Amino acid sequence: MVAPHFKQVLVEKVLVEQVLAEQFGDLLRTSDASRDGVLILSLPADEIHEAARILKKSGGRLSAEWATDDTPFGRELALWTAFAVPNVPDSGPDAGPDTKIDRFILIRSDVPLSNPAFPTLTGHFAAAYRFERIILSFFGIDSIGHPDRRPWIRHEDWPDGFFPLRKDAPIDAPFVRSNGSYEWIRGEGEGVYEIPVGPVHAGIIEPGHFRFQAVGETILNLEERLGYVHKGIEKRFESLPWTEGARLAGRISGDSTVAHALAWCRAVEDMAGLLVPPRGVWLRALFLERERIANHLGDIGAIANDAAFAFLLAQLSRLREDVLRLNKRLFGHRLLMDMIVPGGAAADLDAKGIEAIRTEMDRLSAEFERLVVIYDENPSLQDRVATTGVVTKKTAADLGLVGFAARASGISSDRRVRFPFPPYDELKVSEAIRHSGDVNDRVWVRIEEVRESIRLIREILARLPGGSALPSDGLSIRPQPGRTGLGIVEGWRGEIVTWVQAGPSGKVSRVMVRDPSQVNWLGLERAVLGNIVPDFPLCNKSFNQSYSGHDM
Amino acid sequence: MLRILYQTLRTGTVTEKMLPEADKEIEIVGNALKEEVHKRFHHSLTIREIDAGSCNGCELEIHAMNNPYYDCERFGVHFTASPRFADVLFVTGPVSRNMEIALKRTVDAAPDPKIVVAVGDCAACGGAFGTSYASLGAVENVVPVDVKVPGCPPSPAALIRALLEAVGRS
């Protein structure tokens, strides 16, 4: 009885690019810019739908989907899709360790200016819903068959026919509001009522609009509408020299300033073939883990506070403040902004600094563990967080969730493990995975990640290489025309994908940033269904998504 | 419960008597303005925070004003959910095109006299985002501003100092 199963596994182990090659023959071309772990293909836009089906079948996830305007190269528009595909197709719970590693497959498709359209991927990947609405809003490229053609991030009063990311649209284009309208999803039936919230919320929070349909206290549906903090970041990147982009990337989402600056720098280094000195690589990881700890501490406290347990907020925000103050003392910035620059790290650490962080970690670890016990043993708090805001494993997989939200629903998603960028290839991160997918498990994943980050920081300090944190011979970013680069980083919220493209003269032509919130906002809409309205803040805080990172 | 009491006793009071980074002059101003809040705002100065397009960095530091180290409530300062109760508006971010109307309405909803504080480099001058089709730049391009607080983001101590300055001017 063993043999057929074994055979089946072997058959499935055929690499997905071979399946694609057989399916598409000459239509499929492999770019010579492909490199270890990143395969770049090109395929006609009409076939991308079929390629997505094959990639989904082999366990792939649509990580990002975006467009470019390639008219400066003498071409027309293009659609890009990025899939994260397991190295070996996942063959069940007893699969080997290499199923834990992902590769990225990027597919480029030409889209003509005269007929800017391609068949939608929404039939295979839920994440495509919003990616394609963004492509329609910012490039005027239609996704045929998409069930929802309303604009996204672009609000209804934007001028008609204005597509900001097209090359013929100037960054300071005159803006005359039009009289558009937005069709909301409506609930009908006896006792169904609507609660509109935002964009200005009750607390010190970013702006966004939520519309609930409810019966009694139960949420029937939640519709998000975002875009309020759209600042035109992707367009602005195109007007900046390569050396200044890291500063802007560090302000895509202030709470993830390290992660975004790192993703941007890694993309640029990938594109231009720059090497980062070992000390720079390890210091970057130190900053990334410190950012993770600071955010997890603050958020666990805030979740408890939303369940009226202010004690934990006071305690954990005190620990967070300690981390920020040491950041300020050692590196000069509380949130570590502008510490990561192309080529390395802009701040360094001496022996006294290393000792200060070690002492801090010992103290933090002891204090944190005491608070974890209090979190875990408090029945009134557990009553609120357990079984609230559940996202099942299937829903999380269907939506393509990333980061701690995916891991709380039993999905391995940590890029430090699954696509380990240096120095994580040497650090061996232990991935925290829980299975209930409720508020409590999203907290628990983060508790375990604080512990792991403390361990990682100790290891980083012990192994910190000598030398300089920046290249000794200075830095020049001179990419070949048309060259692209990809940066993947696991920030505290999850996977960040940053993609850069050099123009014909080697300057910035296009920057695409996919913040984890751009997919995880879909998760919140599912998580609240059937919950009571008063639990919404708790569900929302347990995801704590970035509006700025989403709206860009 | 015993664990909670024990932890509370072990932590003690961490609230700092003096503002960190503050020099003596600001201490004097601080105490004078605390008096001012008590006298002119009836012991209670109320802030409504409006994110008009920020990257959320400023929000993190405004939050920190409430943590046990700074505990701005001891100065009689607290944050409100409704602009109707607000004496002071903290506006962050460059004003995004999509927040322009909401910002104006929220500022209008606050009763006069009100103090508008532009918090952070973006709110003060447009910062990293500047002006574009999507961003209107500094807050003063959209609503009148009384006080600007530089910094990316300004630290909680800088925010408390700026607040004291704002109240002093009113």
Side-chain angles (χ1 to χ4, degrees), chain A residues 286 290 293 297 319-327 329-331 353-367 454 457-458 461:
Chain A
L286 173 68
R290 291 188 70 80
I293 289 178
L297 290 176
L319 298 185
R320 174 185 156 90
E321 179 73 16
D322 290 338
V323 174
L324 301 189
R325 286 185 176 191
L326 191 61
N327 283 348
R329 183 155 75 81
L330 295 179
F331 308 113
I354 290 176
E355 208 34 56
I357 296 179
R358 281 215 180 98
T359 313
E360 178 206 27
M361 287 298 128
D362 291 344
R363 203 182 130 241
L364 173 65
S365 179
E367 293 233 28
I454 292 172
I457 287 177
R458 286 187 177 129
L461 294 178

Side-chain angles (χ1 to χ4, degrees), chain A residues 47-105:
Chain A
E47 307 291 343
I48 187 76
H49 181 259
E50 178 61 14
R53 189 187 64 78
I54 293 168
L55 285 158
K56 177 159 193 187
K57 217 176 147 194
S58 60
R61 183 177 64 80
L62 180 66
S63 186
E65 186 181 3
W66 68 99
T68 58
D69 182 345
D70 289 347
T71 46
F73 299 99
R75 297 195 297 260
E76 301 193 351
L77 302 168
L79 173 77
W80 284 80
T81 42
F83 299 89
V85 184
N87 227 355
V88 173
D90 202 338
S91 35
D94 49 10
D98 44 349
T99 59
K100 283 260 175 203
I101 307 281
D102 284 341
R103 290 173 307 144
F104 275 81
I105 298 182

Side-chain angles (χ1 to χ4, degrees), chain A residues 153 158 171 177 201-202 204 206 227-228 230-231 236 251 254-255 315 321-322 325 333-334 370 377, chain B residues 3 7 10-11 16 48 53-56 61 63 67 69-70 81 96-98 100 128-129 133 152:
Chain A
I153 297 176
W158 284 30
I171 186 168
R177 291 186 193 275
H201 292 189
I204 305 167
E206 298 178 78
Y228 290 91
H230 174 67
K231 297 178 276 288
R236 188 154 179 85
R251 281 150 185 85
D255 52 19
Q315 291 287 339
E321 179 73 16
D322 290 338
R325 286 185 176 191
H333 197 287
R334 287 165 54 90
R370 279 200 292 271
E377 290 188 350
Chain B
R3 278 190 214 279
Q7 176 70 15
R10 188 205 309 266
T11 309
E16 285 158 334
R48 167 71 237 196
S54 123
C55 75
N56 77 30
E61 293 297 55
H63 261 295
N67 79 28
Y69 282 109
Y70 301 98
S96 72
R97 189 76 65 173
N98 287 344
E100 181 187 3
F129 306 102
Y133 74 92
C152 187

Side-chain angles (χ1 to χ4, degrees), chain A residues 64-368:
Chain A
E65 186 181 3
W66 68 99
T68 58
D69 182 345
D70 289 347
T71 46
F73 299 99
R75 297 195 297 260
E76 301 193 351
L77 302 168
L79 173 77
W80 284 80
T81 42
F83 299 89
V85 184
N87 227 355
V88 173
D90 202 338
S91 35
D94 49 10
D98 44 349
T99 59
K100 283 260 175 203
I101 307 281
D102 284 341
R103 290 173 307 144
F104 275 81
I105 298 182
L106 271 57
I107 306 180
R108 182 187 182 283
S109 308
D110 278 307
V111 176
L113 273 168
S114 56
N115 176 26
F118 64 93
T120 178
L121 304 187
T122 49
H124 302 301
F125 294 102
Y129 272 81
R130 285 183 182 168
F131 293 154
E132 291 177 4
R133 284 173 73 183
I134 292 173
I135 292 171
L136 178 63
S137 299
F138 286 83
F139 282 91
I141 301 177
D142 206 353
S143 40
I144 296 160
H146 194 299
D148 184 355
R149 296 189 71 264
R150 293 174 299 168
W152 188 247
I153 297 176
R154 175 192 188 102
H155 282 186
E156 67 280 358
D157 59 358
W158 284 30
D160 291 334
F162 171 60
F163 301 114
L165 288 175
R166 290 258 188 123
K167 291 293 176 196
D168 57 8
I171 186 168
D172 53 354
F175 195 98
V176 184
R177 291 186 193 275
S178 68
N179 291 324
S181 64
Y182 194 78
E183 292 264 320
W184 292 93
I185 294 167
R186 306 307 292 251
E188 281 176 26
E190 196 182 324
V192 177
Y193 66 101
E194 224 171 46
I195 311 173
V197 185
V200 178
H201 292 189
I204 305 167
I205 333 172
E206 298 178 78
H209 185 92
F210 300 116
R211 198 163 284 204
F212 299 91
Q213 274 89 35
V215 169
E217 285 202 308
T218 308
I219 300 170
L220 287 182
N221 188 48
L222 161 64
E223 188 179 4
E224 297 156 356
R225 187 188 183 233
L226 304 172
Y228 290 91
V229 286
H230 174 67
K231 297 178 276 288
I233 292 176
E234 288 184 327
K235 187 77 174 177
R236 188 154 179 85
F237 271 123
E238 296 173 15
S239 66
L240 295 177
W242 291 112
T243 45
E244 286 178 29
R247 197 182 129 78
L248 183 58
R251 281 150 185 85
I252 288 169
S253 181
D255 52 19
S256 303
T257 177
V258 173
H260 270 291
L262 180 55
W264 193 88
C265 288
R266 287 192 53 78
V268 170
E269 288 152 8
D270 179 36
M271 170 196 67
L274 300 176
L275 286 177
V276 179
R279 192 175 177 84
V281 168
W282 285 73
L283 281 170
R284 287 171 165 193
L286 173 68
F287 299 148
L288 192 63
E289 297 309 321
R290 291 188 70 80
E291 179 172 86
R292 197 181 315 278
I293 289 178
N295 279 291
H296 284 352
L297 290 176
D299 284 354
I300 296 168
I303 291 166
N305 191 53
D306 275 349
F309 194 56
F311 166 82
L312 271 184
L313 176 68
Q315 291 287 339
L316 287 164
S317 61
R318 175 175 66 87
L319 298 185
R320 174 185 156 90
E321 179 73 16
D322 290 338
V323 174
L324 301 189
R325 286 185 176 191
L326 191 61
N327 283 348
K328 171 79 178 168
R329 183 155 75 81
L330 295 179
F331 308 113
H333 197 287
R334 287 165 54 90
L335 305 180
L336 300 173
M337 274 180 174
D338 308 321
M339 295 297 126
I340 292 181
V341 292
D348 210 329
L349 199 58
D350 57 11
K352 269 169 120 178
I354 290 176
E355 208 34 56
I357 296 179
R358 281 215 180 98
T359 313
E360 178 206 27
M361 287 298 128
D362 291 344
R363 203 182 130 241
L364 173 65
S365 179
E367 293 233 28
F368 182 67

Side-chain angles (χ1 to χ4, degrees), chain B:
Chain B
M1 199 62 214
L2 279 177
R3 278 190 214 279
I4 296 175
L5 288 173
Y6 187 47
Q7 176 70 15
T8 307
L9 289 173
R10 188 205 309 266
T11 309
T13 305
V14 295
T15 308
E16 285 158 334
K17 293 233 167 56
M18 287 197 276
L19 287 175
E21 311 156 35
D23 54 32
K24 212 167 172 77
E25 191 193 325
I26 289 172
E27 262 306 300
I28 297 163
V29 175
N31 285 330
L33 285 169
K34 187 179 169 184
E35 296 264 303
E36 203 84 338
V37 168
H38 283 211
K39 213 164 59 197
R40 297 174 53 188
F41 292 88
H42 249 272
H43 297 259
S44 158
L45 181 77
T46 303
I47 307 175
R48 167 71 237 196
E49 196 268 351
I50 311 165
D51 176 343
S54 123
C55 75
N56 77 30
C58 288
E59 276 64 34
L60 294 175
E61 293 297 55
I62 294 172
H63 261 295
M65 290 170 72
N66 292 304
N67 79 28
Y69 282 109
Y70 301 98
D71 187 23
C72 69
E73 290 221 15
R74 71 188 143 135
F75 304 125
V77 172
H78 65 104
F79 288 84
T80 176
S82 169
R84 297 281 188 220
F85 310 137
D87 305 302
V88 172
L89 297 161
F90 265 17
V91 187
T92 63
V95 181
S96 72
R97 189 76 65 173
N98 287 344
M99 269 303 284
E100 181 187 3
I101 297 167
L103 170 64
K104 283 180 183 159
R105 284 185 187 165
T106 310
V107 171
D108 284 347
D112 285 320
K114 57 199 160 205
I115 306 164
V116 177
V117 183
V119 173
D121 286 347
C122 298
C125 71
F129 306 102
T131 56
S132 69
Y133 74 92
S135 162
L136 295 155
V139 174
E140 67 185 357
N141 297 346
V142 179
V143 293
V145 167
D146 299 293
V147 176
K148 295 176 187 174
V149 195
C152 187
S155 67
L159 287 167
I160 292 173
R161 273 203 299 266
L163 190 62
L164 303 177
E165 184 200 341
V167 175
R169 274 200 201 178
S170 70

